[in-house]
Every structure is written in C-alpha cells, then in structure tokens.
Amino acid sequence: MKQLGFVTIISLLIFVLMIPLAFLTGVTGFIPDLILFFALTLFYYWTYDTLRMTLPIFTLLIIGHILHACGIFGWYHISPVPIQWDHITHFFGTFPFALLFFRFAEQWKTKKWFTRKNLLLLIAVFIAATGIGAVVEMSEFIGYLTLGFGDGGLQFGPGDGLPDQNIIDSIGGGWINTGWDFIYNTLGILFGMIIMIIILINKQQEVSSIL
C-alpha cells in the first residue's frame, strides 16, 4: 500500500503542476481534463481493492491520462512522434481499462479456457472497455455542442478533424475522427486482453509444473 500511496501522490502532483503549465503554453482547454484526472486518480485509489487492481494497472491508467494531458504542449496539433498523438492517447487510454476489466472478471472464469462462460466474460470485458471509449466520444461531442471549437477533451480541436464546420458537414471530418478513435480504442483493448490471456496461461503453466 505504501507503493500505491506513493504513485497516487506523484500522479496527483503531476496533474496539479500541469495546470499552470497549461496557462504558460496557452492551451487552457485541457484544465477541465486535468481536474477530472485528479478526481479519477482519487477514485482509482478508493476503489483499488474493490476493482481488484494491481499497481501496474493503476499506474497504466494514470499514464493513459497523462498522455492525453500532454496535449497542453500542443501535441494534438503537432505530434512529437510519427503517429498522430490522438491515436496514441486512444490506444493507451483504453489499453489499461482492458486490463482492469479483465482482471475483475477473472474471478468468475472457469479453469477450462474454452467454455461458454469464459467466452461471455471475454465479450463482457471487451464491451465494458469499449464503453469507456464510447463515453469519451460522447463527452467530446457534448462538449463541442456546448463549447464549440477548442482544445481539450470537451471541445473539438487539433487532432479531432477539420476546423471548418462546413467541411466537417460535407465530408465527415468529425465522423472520420470518431472512426479512427474507435479503431485505436479497439486495438488497445484487444492488446490488453491478449496480454492478460498470456499472463493467465503462464500462471496456469507454473502451477501445473509445481503440481
């Protein structure tokens, strides 16, 4: 628990320090996101045992939020890596939720892998993690309807599509962005589920070798 407390405090400090940085860079649209991430960090800490988290999963959840918060540096507009920053944040944003939901559902799985129950659990994990991505997309759209164009998760801006409303209506800039978001969400979720399956298989093999 000491390690968890340490990671939690560091995470909270990072989000707090990023608020003045957002003012310095002039990208203040991410401040509501930072406040939300601060609250989510506390929520993860509070539900750590209930959701059967591990420290790596907890840390990856925070890292996913930090990657999005790095939008204060203008990375959604000009990515520091060859791939669009929006794609990275969606991949690593949903990836830890796949780990989280998989581990939570693991308590109900059967010993045999190829059973109807396990298949339904895998589907449930996928749908639950996909739902997180859907909520994010919905919040972006509601934010756009109320706040219009701008930076941050509650507005439509760099990394989301095209800045001209007429062009968006004509060729579907927003739709294209949402489609790509869901694709990278799905890739992150599937990657997380595959990792958890590999971990479980290795654990079972270790137990079998001991017995």
Side-chain angles (χ1 to χ4, degrees):
M1 289 298 291
K2 288 184 179 180
Q3 290 180 325
L4 174 62
F6 177 76
V7 173
T8 301
I9 291 173
I10 294 299
S11 302
L12 294 174
L13 287 175
I14 289 174
F15 293 130
V16 169
L17 291 174
M18 291 184 94
I19 292 177
L21 281 175
F23 281 106
L24 289 175
T25 59
V27 190
T28 56
F30 282 91
I31 292 178
D33 304 52
L34 291 167
I35 295 172
L36 174 62
F37 294 154
F38 186 95
L40 283 175
T41 301
L42 294 175
F43 175 76
Y44 298 148
Y45 179 83
W46 180 53
T47 59
Y48 186 87
D49 292 326
T50 303
L51 295 178
R52 304 181 75 245
M53 284 193 211
T54 61
L55 189 60
I57 292 176
F58 180 90
T59 304
L60 286 170
L61 285 168
I62 303 302
I63 290 175
H65 297 332
I66 291 175
L67 290 175
H68 171 71
C70 284
I72 64 173
F73 303 115
W75 290 356
Y76 276 100
H77 181 62
I78 301 177
S79 177
V81 293
I83 190 172
Q84 288 185 31
W85 194 249
D86 192 40
H87 297 338
I88 291 174
T89 57
H90 278 274
F91 181 91
F92 288 103
T94 53
F95 165 65
F97 281 103
L99 304 180
L100 173 67
F101 292 132
F102 192 105
R103 178 167 169 75
F104 184 75
E106 181 186 339
Q107 59 189 308
W108 296 298
K109 82 173 189 65
T110 60
K111 291 183 178 180
K112 292 184 178 180
W113 273 100
F114 300 102
T115 64
R116 186 181 305 173
K117 184 177 183 180
N118 285 349
L119 176 61
L120 290 175
L121 285 175
L122 287 174
I123 293 173
V125 168
F126 179 80
I127 292 175
T130 301
I132 297 295
V135 169
V136 171
E137 294 301 313
M138 182 179 66
S139 67
E140 288 181 357
F141 182 64
I142 293 175
Y144 163 71
L145 291 178
T146 55
L147 301 174
F149 290 101
D151 293 293
L154 296 178
Q155 297 184 71
F156 193 94
D160 292 326
L162 300 170
D164 187 273
Q165 176 63 39
N166 293 327
I167 296 178
I168 291 174
D169 288 338
S170 299
I171 65 173
W175 285 101
I176 293 171
N177 171 255
T178 300
W180 279 115
D181 288 350
F182 276 121
I183 286 174
Y184 280 90
N185 286 349
T186 301
L187 291 175
I189 292 166
L190 293 177
F191 183 62
M193 292 176 67
I194 290 171
I195 286 180
M196 291 300 287
I197 290 172
I198 293 173
I199 291 174
L200 277 180
I201 291 175
N202 287 336
K203 283 183 178 179
Q204 288 182 350
Q205 289 177 344
E206 289 176 1
V207 172
S208 298
S209 63
I210 293 174
L211 297 176

